[in-house]
Amino acid sequence: QVQLVESGGGLVQPGGSLRLSCAASGFTFRDSDMSWYRQALGKEREMVARIGYNSIALSYKGSVKGRFTISRDNAKNTVYLQMNSLKPEDTAVYYCVKGWGKIEAAGQGTQVTVSS
């Protein structure tokens, strides 16, 4: 079955950086588009970044463009989200998602808290 396991979340000060990782298994990762979503307390889940199966197609939520970078390593079945210049409004649970434009499967999430 599809398994997506996120890691790398934590508490960081405004302006800091974090790198999230997602280890994927149970499907053909190299043929799959992948995304990162997030959900802040009391808000709907939203797409943050997505990457095509061959890393050519990329898409970002407007408010994270220039600060976040999504990447993948198909040899390691892993997708990453490098987050720089973090802001308090980036605080949320971040989810690794299989799919582009739709959530085919999601991990359990990792908490990112940006606070001084």
Side-chain angles (χ1 to χ4, degrees):
Q1 70 277 21
V2 174
Q3 282 198 317
L4 300 166
V5 180
E6 303 95 338
S7 61
L11 173 64
V12 63
Q13 292 187 342
S17 298
L18 282 175
R19 188 195 196 203
L20 305 184
S21 299
C22 171
S25 62
F27 63 100
T28 307
F29 181 79
R30 64 179 180 272
D31 292 339
S32 300
D33 300 332
M34 299 294 296
S35 304
W36 285 96
Y37 280 64
R38 69 185 181 189
Q39 187 167 19
L41 199 61
K43 296 188 177 181
E44 293 187 356
R45 193 174 297 194
E46 60 182 7
M47 188 278 295
V48 176
R50 49 195 181 187
I51 185 168
Y53 69 97
N54 59 4
S55 300
I56 292 176
L58 300 171
S59 177
Y60 294 93
K61 176 181 171 59
S63 62
V64 309
K65 277 183 182 178
R67 300 189 297 122
F68 290 11
T69 302
I70 188 170
S71 62
R72 65 191 294 160
D73 186 338
N74 286 349
K76 295 182 178 180
N77 284 6
T78 301
V79 60
Y80 305 97
L81 185 67
Q82 177 67 44
M83 305 186 294
N84 299 330
S85 302
L86 282 160
K87 304 175 181 180
E89 52 263 43
D90 294 318
T91 295
V93 178
Y94 283 71
Y95 297 90
C96 178
V97 166
K98 178 181 181 294
W100 179 294
K102 62 178 179 178
I103 298 176
E104 298 174 18
Q108 293 298 306
T110 185
Q111 176 71 46
V112 171
T113 302
V114 185
S115 175
S116 55

